[in-house]
Short mmCIF file of all heavy atoms in Angstrom, two decimals:
data_model
loop_
_atom_site.label_atom_id
_atom_site.label_comp_id
_atom_site.label_asym_id
_atom_site.label_seq_id
_atom_site.Cartn_x
_atom_site.Cartn_y
_atom_site.Cartn_z
N MET A 79 -7.80 -19.79 -15.60
CA MET A 79 -6.60 -19.91 -14.68
C MET A 79 -5.89 -18.71 -14.57
O MET A 79 -5.61 -18.00 -15.52
CB MET A 79 -5.72 -21.09 -15.10
CG MET A 79 -4.56 -21.37 -14.17
SD MET A 79 -3.94 -23.13 -14.31
CE MET A 79 -2.53 -22.86 -13.18
N SER A 80 -5.55 -18.28 -13.27
CA SER A 80 -4.89 -17.04 -13.12
C SER A 80 -3.88 -17.05 -12.07
O SER A 80 -4.11 -17.83 -11.04
CB SER A 80 -5.83 -15.90 -12.79
OG SER A 80 -5.27 -14.72 -12.37
N GLY A 81 -2.73 -16.44 -12.18
CA GLY A 81 -1.71 -16.44 -11.20
C GLY A 81 -1.83 -15.14 -10.26
O GLY A 81 -0.96 -14.90 -9.49
N LYS A 82 -2.93 -14.40 -10.51
CA LYS A 82 -3.05 -13.14 -9.75
C LYS A 82 -3.02 -13.36 -8.27
O LYS A 82 -2.36 -12.55 -7.52
CB LYS A 82 -4.38 -12.45 -10.14
CG LYS A 82 -4.41 -11.09 -9.76
CD LYS A 82 -5.62 -10.31 -10.32
CE LYS A 82 -5.61 -8.84 -10.24
NZ LYS A 82 -5.06 -8.28 -9.07
N LYS A 83 -3.73 -14.29 -7.72
CA LYS A 83 -3.79 -14.52 -6.27
C LYS A 83 -2.44 -14.82 -5.72
O LYS A 83 -1.92 -14.25 -4.85
CB LYS A 83 -4.75 -15.63 -5.94
CG LYS A 83 -4.92 -15.93 -4.42
CD LYS A 83 -5.64 -14.74 -3.82
CE LYS A 83 -5.89 -15.17 -2.36
NZ LYS A 83 -6.52 -14.09 -1.55
N HIS A 84 -1.72 -15.73 -6.45
CA HIS A 84 -0.39 -16.03 -6.07
C HIS A 84 0.51 -14.86 -6.18
O HIS A 84 1.34 -14.64 -5.22
CB HIS A 84 0.20 -17.23 -6.85
CG HIS A 84 1.62 -17.54 -6.53
ND1 HIS A 84 2.70 -17.01 -7.21
CD2 HIS A 84 2.14 -18.41 -5.65
CE1 HIS A 84 3.77 -17.50 -6.70
NE2 HIS A 84 3.46 -18.26 -5.66
N ASP A 85 0.45 -14.17 -7.16
CA ASP A 85 1.29 -12.94 -7.30
C ASP A 85 1.09 -11.92 -6.18
O ASP A 85 2.01 -11.29 -5.65
CB ASP A 85 0.92 -12.16 -8.65
CG ASP A 85 1.41 -13.02 -9.86
OD1 ASP A 85 2.13 -13.93 -9.64
OD2 ASP A 85 1.05 -12.59 -10.97
N GLU A 86 -0.22 -11.77 -5.75
CA GLU A 86 -0.56 -10.81 -4.73
C GLU A 86 0.03 -11.30 -3.33
O GLU A 86 0.55 -10.49 -2.57
CB GLU A 86 -2.17 -10.68 -4.57
CG GLU A 86 -2.57 -9.65 -3.61
CD GLU A 86 -2.01 -8.25 -3.92
OE1 GLU A 86 -1.94 -7.93 -5.05
OE2 GLU A 86 -1.72 -7.54 -2.96
N GLN A 87 -0.04 -12.60 -3.20
CA GLN A 87 0.56 -13.18 -1.94
C GLN A 87 2.10 -13.03 -1.88
O GLN A 87 2.72 -12.65 -0.94
CB GLN A 87 0.21 -14.57 -1.73
CG GLN A 87 -1.35 -14.73 -1.41
CD GLN A 87 -1.73 -16.18 -1.22
OE1 GLN A 87 -1.07 -17.11 -1.66
NE2 GLN A 87 -2.87 -16.39 -0.51
N ALA A 88 2.71 -13.24 -3.08
CA ALA A 88 4.18 -13.02 -3.22
C ALA A 88 4.49 -11.54 -3.08
O ALA A 88 5.50 -11.28 -2.34
CB ALA A 88 4.62 -13.48 -4.62
N SER A 89 3.65 -10.69 -3.58
CA SER A 89 3.85 -9.23 -3.40
C SER A 89 3.75 -8.78 -1.99
O SER A 89 4.63 -8.04 -1.41
CB SER A 89 2.79 -8.45 -4.21
OG SER A 89 2.89 -7.11 -4.02
N LEU A 90 2.72 -9.47 -1.27
CA LEU A 90 2.61 -9.10 0.18
C LEU A 90 3.76 -9.57 0.92
O LEU A 90 4.31 -8.79 1.80
CB LEU A 90 1.35 -9.89 0.75
CG LEU A 90 1.01 -9.72 2.21
CD1 LEU A 90 0.84 -8.28 2.57
CD2 LEU A 90 -0.09 -10.60 2.58
N ALA A 91 4.31 -10.77 0.64
CA ALA A 91 5.49 -11.25 1.36
C ALA A 91 6.62 -10.33 1.09
O ALA A 91 7.44 -10.00 2.05
CB ALA A 91 5.72 -12.70 0.94
N ALA A 92 6.81 -9.82 -0.10
CA ALA A 92 7.92 -8.98 -0.40
C ALA A 92 7.77 -7.58 0.27
O ALA A 92 8.74 -7.10 0.70
CB ALA A 92 8.03 -8.74 -1.88
N GLY A 93 6.58 -7.18 0.26
CA GLY A 93 6.24 -5.89 0.96
C GLY A 93 6.55 -5.89 2.44
O GLY A 93 7.23 -4.99 2.95
N ARG A 94 6.07 -6.93 3.02
CA ARG A 94 6.29 -7.13 4.44
C ARG A 94 7.79 -7.35 4.77
O ARG A 94 8.16 -6.70 5.71
CB ARG A 94 5.46 -8.38 5.04
CG ARG A 94 3.98 -8.11 5.06
CD ARG A 94 3.60 -7.15 6.25
NE ARG A 94 2.22 -6.84 6.21
CZ ARG A 94 1.20 -7.52 6.70
NH1 ARG A 94 1.51 -8.73 7.17
NH2 ARG A 94 0.01 -7.11 6.69
N ALA A 95 8.39 -8.03 3.89
CA ALA A 95 9.88 -8.17 4.09
C ALA A 95 10.65 -6.88 4.04
O ALA A 95 11.68 -6.72 4.75
CB ALA A 95 10.48 -9.20 3.06
N ALA A 96 10.06 -6.01 3.23
CA ALA A 96 10.76 -4.66 3.08
C ALA A 96 10.29 -3.66 4.22
O ALA A 96 10.67 -2.59 4.29
CB ALA A 96 10.31 -4.02 1.81
N GLY A 97 9.31 -4.17 5.11
CA GLY A 97 8.99 -3.32 6.27
C GLY A 97 7.80 -2.41 6.04
O GLY A 97 7.55 -1.49 6.65
N TYR A 98 6.86 -2.81 5.14
CA TYR A 98 5.69 -2.11 4.76
C TYR A 98 4.47 -2.89 5.19
O TYR A 98 4.41 -4.03 5.25
CB TYR A 98 5.65 -1.91 3.21
CG TYR A 98 6.68 -1.05 2.65
CD1 TYR A 98 7.36 -1.42 1.43
CD2 TYR A 98 7.09 0.04 3.24
CE1 TYR A 98 8.27 -0.63 0.89
CE2 TYR A 98 8.13 0.88 2.72
CZ TYR A 98 8.74 0.56 1.52
OH TYR A 98 9.73 1.28 0.98
N CYS A 99 3.39 -2.04 5.43
CA CYS A 99 2.07 -2.65 5.86
C CYS A 99 1.60 -3.44 4.56
O CYS A 99 1.12 -4.53 4.62
CB CYS A 99 1.16 -1.38 6.16
SG CYS A 99 -0.60 -1.91 6.15
N TRP A 100 1.67 -2.83 3.42
CA TRP A 100 1.40 -3.45 2.00
C TRP A 100 -0.06 -3.88 1.84
O TRP A 100 -0.35 -4.71 1.10
CB TRP A 100 2.30 -4.65 1.88
CG TRP A 100 2.76 -4.84 0.48
CD1 TRP A 100 2.47 -5.87 -0.38
CD2 TRP A 100 3.62 -3.97 -0.28
NE1 TRP A 100 3.06 -5.70 -1.57
CE2 TRP A 100 3.73 -4.50 -1.58
CE3 TRP A 100 4.21 -2.71 -0.01
CZ2 TRP A 100 4.44 -3.84 -2.53
CZ3 TRP A 100 4.91 -2.15 -0.93
CH2 TRP A 100 5.13 -2.70 -2.23
N ALA A 101 -0.96 -3.13 2.59
CA ALA A 101 -2.35 -3.37 2.25
C ALA A 101 -2.69 -2.84 0.88
O ALA A 101 -2.12 -1.71 0.51
CB ALA A 101 -3.23 -2.63 3.29
N PRO A 102 -3.37 -3.63 0.00
CA PRO A 102 -3.50 -3.16 -1.37
C PRO A 102 -4.48 -1.90 -1.46
O PRO A 102 -5.46 -1.81 -0.65
CB PRO A 102 -4.14 -4.37 -2.07
CG PRO A 102 -4.74 -5.19 -0.88
CD PRO A 102 -3.89 -4.87 0.28
N VAL A 103 -4.20 -1.02 -2.32
CA VAL A 103 -5.07 0.10 -2.60
C VAL A 103 -6.33 -0.43 -3.16
O VAL A 103 -6.26 -1.25 -4.08
CB VAL A 103 -4.37 1.07 -3.61
CG1 VAL A 103 -5.35 2.19 -4.07
CG2 VAL A 103 -3.13 1.63 -3.12
N PRO A 104 -7.48 0.03 -2.65
CA PRO A 104 -8.76 -0.41 -3.16
C PRO A 104 -8.86 -0.02 -4.64
O PRO A 104 -8.58 1.09 -5.06
CB PRO A 104 -9.79 0.51 -2.36
CG PRO A 104 -9.11 0.76 -1.11
CD PRO A 104 -7.56 0.93 -1.42
N GLY A 105 -9.19 -1.03 -5.40
CA GLY A 105 -9.20 -0.86 -6.83
C GLY A 105 -7.87 -0.97 -7.57
O GLY A 105 -7.81 -1.01 -8.77
N GLY A 106 -6.83 -1.30 -6.79
CA GLY A 106 -5.51 -1.58 -7.29
C GLY A 106 -4.60 -0.47 -7.63
O GLY A 106 -5.02 0.76 -7.44
N GLY A 107 -3.42 -0.69 -8.03
CA GLY A 107 -2.50 0.34 -8.48
C GLY A 107 -1.49 0.75 -7.43
O GLY A 107 -0.64 1.65 -7.66
N GLY A 108 -1.49 0.10 -6.28
CA GLY A 108 -0.48 0.46 -5.23
C GLY A 108 -0.76 -0.38 -3.97
O GLY A 108 -1.62 -1.20 -3.84
N HIS A 109 0.15 -0.02 -3.01
CA HIS A 109 0.08 -0.65 -1.69
C HIS A 109 0.43 0.28 -0.62
O HIS A 109 1.23 1.22 -0.85
CB HIS A 109 1.05 -1.94 -1.59
CG HIS A 109 0.66 -2.97 -2.57
ND1 HIS A 109 1.16 -3.03 -3.75
CD2 HIS A 109 -0.05 -4.10 -2.37
CE1 HIS A 109 0.69 -4.19 -4.42
NE2 HIS A 109 -0.02 -4.85 -3.52
N CYS A 110 -0.01 0.11 0.66
CA CYS A 110 0.33 0.94 1.68
C CYS A 110 1.81 0.77 2.00
O CYS A 110 2.31 -0.36 2.14
CB CYS A 110 -0.51 0.50 2.93
SG CYS A 110 -0.05 1.50 4.33
N THR A 111 2.55 1.91 2.03
CA THR A 111 3.95 1.89 2.33
C THR A 111 4.30 2.44 3.71
O THR A 111 5.40 2.82 3.95
CB THR A 111 4.76 2.54 1.32
OG1 THR A 111 4.15 3.75 0.97
CG2 THR A 111 4.74 1.66 -0.02
N ARG A 112 3.24 2.39 4.61
CA ARG A 112 3.60 2.79 6.01
C ARG A 112 4.05 1.48 6.73
O ARG A 112 4.08 0.36 6.16
CB ARG A 112 2.32 3.24 6.71
CG ARG A 112 1.83 4.63 6.12
CD ARG A 112 0.67 5.16 6.89
NE ARG A 112 1.04 5.59 8.19
CZ ARG A 112 0.28 6.19 9.12
NH1 ARG A 112 -1.08 6.27 8.84
NH2 ARG A 112 0.69 6.56 10.24
N ARG A 113 4.48 1.63 7.92
CA ARG A 113 4.94 0.34 8.67
C ARG A 113 3.85 -0.46 9.05
O ARG A 113 2.68 -0.04 9.19
CB ARG A 113 5.74 0.88 9.91
CG ARG A 113 4.87 1.63 10.93
CD ARG A 113 5.63 2.05 12.10
NE ARG A 113 4.77 2.96 12.95
CZ ARG A 113 3.81 2.70 13.74
NH1 ARG A 113 3.46 1.39 13.80
NH2 ARG A 113 3.14 3.54 14.38
N PRO A 114 4.12 -1.88 9.14
CA PRO A 114 3.08 -2.72 9.58
C PRO A 114 2.57 -2.37 10.84
O PRO A 114 3.27 -1.99 11.82
CB PRO A 114 3.82 -4.06 9.56
CG PRO A 114 4.97 -3.84 8.70
CD PRO A 114 5.36 -2.46 8.88
N GLY A 115 1.24 -2.45 11.13
CA GLY A 115 0.58 -2.24 12.40
C GLY A 115 0.34 -0.76 12.64
O GLY A 115 0.05 -0.43 13.86
N HIS A 116 0.54 0.15 11.68
CA HIS A 116 0.37 1.54 11.94
C HIS A 116 -1.01 1.92 12.29
O HIS A 116 -2.05 1.14 12.06
CB HIS A 116 0.88 2.28 10.65
CG HIS A 116 -0.09 2.10 9.45
ND1 HIS A 116 -1.31 2.65 9.36
CD2 HIS A 116 0.10 1.39 8.38
CE1 HIS A 116 -1.88 2.22 8.23
NE2 HIS A 116 -1.01 1.42 7.56
N ASP A 117 -1.22 3.13 12.91
CA ASP A 117 -2.44 3.58 13.17
C ASP A 117 -3.05 4.44 11.94
O ASP A 117 -2.27 4.73 11.04
CB ASP A 117 -2.40 4.58 14.37
CG ASP A 117 -1.93 3.84 15.62
OD1 ASP A 117 -2.28 2.63 15.74
OD2 ASP A 117 -1.24 4.50 16.44
N ASP A 118 -4.32 4.79 12.20
CA ASP A 118 -4.88 5.74 11.06
C ASP A 118 -4.94 5.10 9.69
O ASP A 118 -4.89 3.89 9.54
CB ASP A 118 -4.25 7.07 11.11
CG ASP A 118 -4.30 7.77 12.52
OD1 ASP A 118 -5.27 7.62 13.23
OD2 ASP A 118 -3.32 8.37 12.87
N GLU A 119 -5.00 5.98 8.72
CA GLU A 119 -5.24 5.45 7.35
C GLU A 119 -4.07 4.83 6.70
O GLU A 119 -2.98 5.27 7.09
CB GLU A 119 -5.76 6.67 6.46
CG GLU A 119 -4.81 7.75 6.45
CD GLU A 119 -5.31 9.08 5.82
OE1 GLU A 119 -6.51 9.04 5.49
OE2 GLU A 119 -4.52 10.05 5.68
N HIS A 120 -4.33 4.04 5.71
CA HIS A 120 -3.26 3.54 4.90
C HIS A 120 -2.80 4.65 3.86
O HIS A 120 -3.64 5.39 3.54
CB HIS A 120 -3.71 2.28 4.01
CG HIS A 120 -4.12 1.12 4.89
ND1 HIS A 120 -3.27 0.49 5.65
CD2 HIS A 120 -5.34 0.47 4.96
CE1 HIS A 120 -3.87 -0.58 6.24
NE2 HIS A 120 -5.11 -0.65 5.84
N VAL A 121 -1.51 4.62 3.60
CA VAL A 121 -1.02 5.59 2.73
C VAL A 121 0.04 4.88 1.74
O VAL A 121 0.86 4.10 2.14
CB VAL A 121 -0.21 6.78 3.43
CG1 VAL A 121 0.37 7.73 2.48
CG2 VAL A 121 -1.19 7.43 4.40
N ASP A 122 -0.15 5.22 0.50
CA ASP A 122 0.85 4.69 -0.44
C ASP A 122 1.73 6.02 -0.91
O ASP A 122 1.13 6.92 -1.57
CB ASP A 122 0.26 4.15 -1.73
CG ASP A 122 1.21 3.54 -2.65
OD1 ASP A 122 2.37 4.00 -2.67
OD2 ASP A 122 0.82 2.56 -3.31
N TYR A 123 3.01 6.01 -0.47
CA TYR A 123 3.85 7.15 -0.67
C TYR A 123 4.45 7.24 -2.14
O TYR A 123 5.04 8.16 -2.49
CB TYR A 123 4.92 7.13 0.28
CG TYR A 123 4.51 7.50 1.74
CD1 TYR A 123 4.39 6.45 2.65
CD2 TYR A 123 4.24 8.82 2.07
CE1 TYR A 123 3.97 6.66 3.93
CE2 TYR A 123 3.72 9.06 3.34
CZ TYR A 123 3.58 8.09 4.32
OH TYR A 123 3.16 8.27 5.54
N TYR A 124 4.21 6.16 -2.85
CA TYR A 124 4.85 6.06 -4.10
C TYR A 124 3.91 6.07 -5.27
O TYR A 124 4.20 6.46 -6.43
CB TYR A 124 5.69 4.81 -4.23
CG TYR A 124 6.71 4.75 -3.12
CD1 TYR A 124 6.49 3.97 -1.99
CD2 TYR A 124 7.85 5.60 -3.18
CE1 TYR A 124 7.42 3.95 -1.04
CE2 TYR A 124 8.81 5.55 -2.27
CZ TYR A 124 8.58 4.71 -1.12
OH TYR A 124 9.50 4.75 -0.08
N ASN A 125 2.67 5.78 -5.10
CA ASN A 125 1.68 5.65 -6.19
C ASN A 125 0.54 6.61 -5.92
O ASN A 125 0.08 6.80 -4.75
CB ASN A 125 1.14 4.22 -6.42
CG ASN A 125 2.19 3.27 -6.78
OD1 ASN A 125 2.76 3.31 -7.84
ND2 ASN A 125 2.57 2.40 -5.81
N GLY A 126 -0.01 7.12 -6.97
CA GLY A 126 -1.21 7.98 -6.85
C GLY A 126 -0.91 9.48 -6.64
O GLY A 126 -1.93 10.21 -6.34
N ARG A 127 0.31 9.84 -6.57
CA ARG A 127 0.61 11.25 -6.42
C ARG A 127 0.02 12.08 -7.58
O ARG A 127 0.26 11.69 -8.74
CB ARG A 127 2.04 11.52 -6.16
CG ARG A 127 2.47 10.88 -4.84
CD ARG A 127 3.94 11.23 -4.55
NE ARG A 127 4.79 10.79 -5.58
CZ ARG A 127 6.14 11.06 -5.72
NH1 ARG A 127 6.69 11.85 -4.76
NH2 ARG A 127 6.84 10.61 -6.60
N LEU A 128 -0.43 13.21 -7.31
CA LEU A 128 -1.01 14.02 -8.44
C LEU A 128 0.08 14.98 -9.04
O LEU A 128 -0.11 15.49 -10.10
CB LEU A 128 -2.18 14.89 -7.90
CG LEU A 128 -3.39 13.93 -7.49
CD1 LEU A 128 -4.50 14.91 -7.00
CD2 LEU A 128 -3.93 13.05 -8.50
N SER A 129 1.04 15.22 -8.21
CA SER A 129 2.17 16.01 -8.75
C SER A 129 3.48 15.66 -8.00
O SER A 129 3.45 15.01 -6.92
CB SER A 129 1.98 17.53 -8.41
OG SER A 129 2.23 17.81 -7.09
N PRO A 130 4.72 15.84 -8.65
CA PRO A 130 6.00 15.48 -8.10
C PRO A 130 6.18 16.00 -6.69
O PRO A 130 6.99 15.47 -5.86
CB PRO A 130 6.97 15.91 -9.07
CG PRO A 130 6.15 16.01 -10.36
CD PRO A 130 4.88 16.45 -9.95
N THR A 131 5.50 17.09 -6.35
CA THR A 131 5.78 17.68 -5.08
C THR A 131 4.98 17.14 -3.94
O THR A 131 5.12 17.50 -2.76
CB THR A 131 5.56 19.21 -5.10
OG1 THR A 131 4.16 19.45 -5.60
CG2 THR A 131 6.46 19.90 -6.06
N ASP A 132 3.90 16.28 -4.29
CA ASP A 132 3.12 15.64 -3.28
C ASP A 132 3.99 14.70 -2.47
O ASP A 132 4.75 14.02 -3.01
CB ASP A 132 1.96 14.82 -3.86
CG ASP A 132 0.85 15.74 -4.49
OD1 ASP A 132 0.92 16.90 -4.19
OD2 ASP A 132 0.03 15.15 -5.24
N THR A 133 3.65 14.69 -1.14
CA THR A 133 4.50 13.91 -0.22
C THR A 133 3.86 12.44 -0.21
O THR A 133 4.65 11.51 0.32
CB THR A 133 4.65 14.47 1.16
OG1 THR A 133 3.30 14.69 1.66
CG2 THR A 133 5.34 15.79 1.17
N ALA A 134 2.62 12.28 -0.58
CA ALA A 134 2.02 11.01 -0.60
C ALA A 134 1.04 10.89 -1.54
O ALA A 134 0.44 11.98 -1.99
CB ALA A 134 1.44 10.74 0.88
N GLY A 135 0.71 9.60 -2.01
CA GLY A 135 -0.34 9.50 -3.02
C GLY A 135 -1.68 9.07 -2.37
O GLY A 135 -2.30 9.67 -1.61
N TYR A 136 -1.97 7.73 -2.74
CA TYR A 136 -3.22 7.25 -2.21
C TYR A 136 -3.32 7.18 -0.71
O TYR A 136 -2.39 6.82 -0.14
CB TYR A 136 -3.43 5.81 -2.76
CG TYR A 136 -3.49 5.67 -4.27
CD1 TYR A 136 -2.62 4.87 -4.93
CD2 TYR A 136 -4.51 6.38 -5.00
CE1 TYR A 136 -2.69 4.72 -6.34
CE2 TYR A 136 -4.55 6.14 -6.39
CZ TYR A 136 -3.64 5.37 -6.99
OH TYR A 136 -3.74 5.24 -8.42
N ARG A 137 -4.53 7.50 -0.19
CA ARG A 137 -4.83 7.35 1.24
C ARG A 137 -6.17 6.64 1.27
O ARG A 137 -7.06 7.09 0.57
CB ARG A 137 -4.87 8.72 1.92
CG ARG A 137 -3.57 9.47 1.96
CD ARG A 137 -3.83 10.92 2.40
NE ARG A 137 -2.52 11.61 2.48
CZ ARG A 137 -1.70 11.65 3.53
NH1 ARG A 137 -2.09 11.06 4.65
NH2 ARG A 137 -0.57 12.36 3.46
N TRP A 138 -6.31 5.67 2.18
CA TRP A 138 -7.65 5.04 2.32
C TRP A 138 -7.71 4.58 3.79
O TRP A 138 -6.64 4.27 4.42
CB TRP A 138 -7.78 4.03 1.28
CG TRP A 138 -6.92 2.83 1.36
CD1 TRP A 138 -7.22 1.59 1.90
CD2 TRP A 138 -5.45 2.71 1.02
NE1 TRP A 138 -6.18 0.74 1.78
CE2 TRP A 138 -5.08 1.44 1.17
CE3 TRP A 138 -4.64 3.58 0.47
CZ2 TRP A 138 -3.78 1.03 0.92
CZ3 TRP A 138 -3.37 3.20 0.13
CH2 TRP A 138 -2.91 1.89 0.43
N PRO A 139 -8.90 4.47 4.33
CA PRO A 139 -9.03 4.05 5.68
C PRO A 139 -8.83 2.62 5.86
O PRO A 139 -9.06 1.76 5.00
CB PRO A 139 -10.50 4.45 5.98
CG PRO A 139 -11.20 4.34 4.67
CD PRO A 139 -10.21 4.79 3.69
N GLN A 140 -8.35 2.26 7.10
CA GLN A 140 -8.27 0.76 7.48
C GLN A 140 -9.72 0.32 7.70
O GLN A 140 -10.54 1.01 8.10
CB GLN A 140 -7.45 0.64 8.76
CG GLN A 140 -6.04 1.09 8.56
CD GLN A 140 -5.15 0.46 9.68
OE1 GLN A 140 -5.25 -0.72 9.86
NE2 GLN A 140 -4.33 1.27 10.30
N ARG A 141 -9.88 -0.98 7.43
CA ARG A 141 -11.21 -1.64 7.73
C ARG A 141 -11.14 -2.18 9.15
O ARG A 141 -10.27 -2.64 9.55
CB ARG A 141 -11.42 -2.78 6.73
CG ARG A 141 -11.43 -2.27 5.37
CD ARG A 141 -12.18 -3.27 4.35
NE ARG A 141 -11.79 -3.06 3.00
CZ ARG A 141 -12.09 -2.03 2.31
NH1 ARG A 141 -12.83 -1.06 2.74
NH2 ARG A 141 -11.73 -1.98 1.01
ZN1 ZN B 449 -1.38 0.43 5.92
#
C-alpha cells in the first residue's frame, strides 16, 4: 500500500493552484514551473540546476 499516487495528485493540485504547469520531471525530483498550457519544453526553474547562477534546471520535452 502506498500513498504516492495520492501525494502526486495532491502535489499537482497544489502546483496548478500556484499557477504552474507542474508536469513531473521524468525520473522524479521536480516539476515544471512554467505556466499551464505553455509552448515548447517543460522547465523546472527550481530543481536540477547545476550551479547557483543557472537560470533554470531540468528541461524536458512535452509529450
Ligand atoms: Zn510544463
Side-chain angles (χ1 to χ4, degrees):
M79 182 156 171
S80 172
K82 192 172 192 327
K83 182 69 174 176
H84 178 266
D85 289 348
E86 185 62 32
Q87 290 182 339
S89 175
L90 176 61
R94 285 289 173 80
Y98 296 137
C99 165
W100 216 245
V103 174
H109 294 87
C110 178
T111 47
R112 296 186 70 182
R113 63 181 168 77
H116 65 75
D117 295 329
D118 302 325
E119 63 192 359
H120 295 298
V121 179
D122 188 331
Y123 290 102
Y124 302 104
N125 296 293
R127 293 186 300 171
L128 298 179
S129 79
T131 57
D132 287 349
T133 56
Y136 297 122
R137 296 171 179 270
W138 68 103
Q140 297 202 45
R141 299 202 203 289

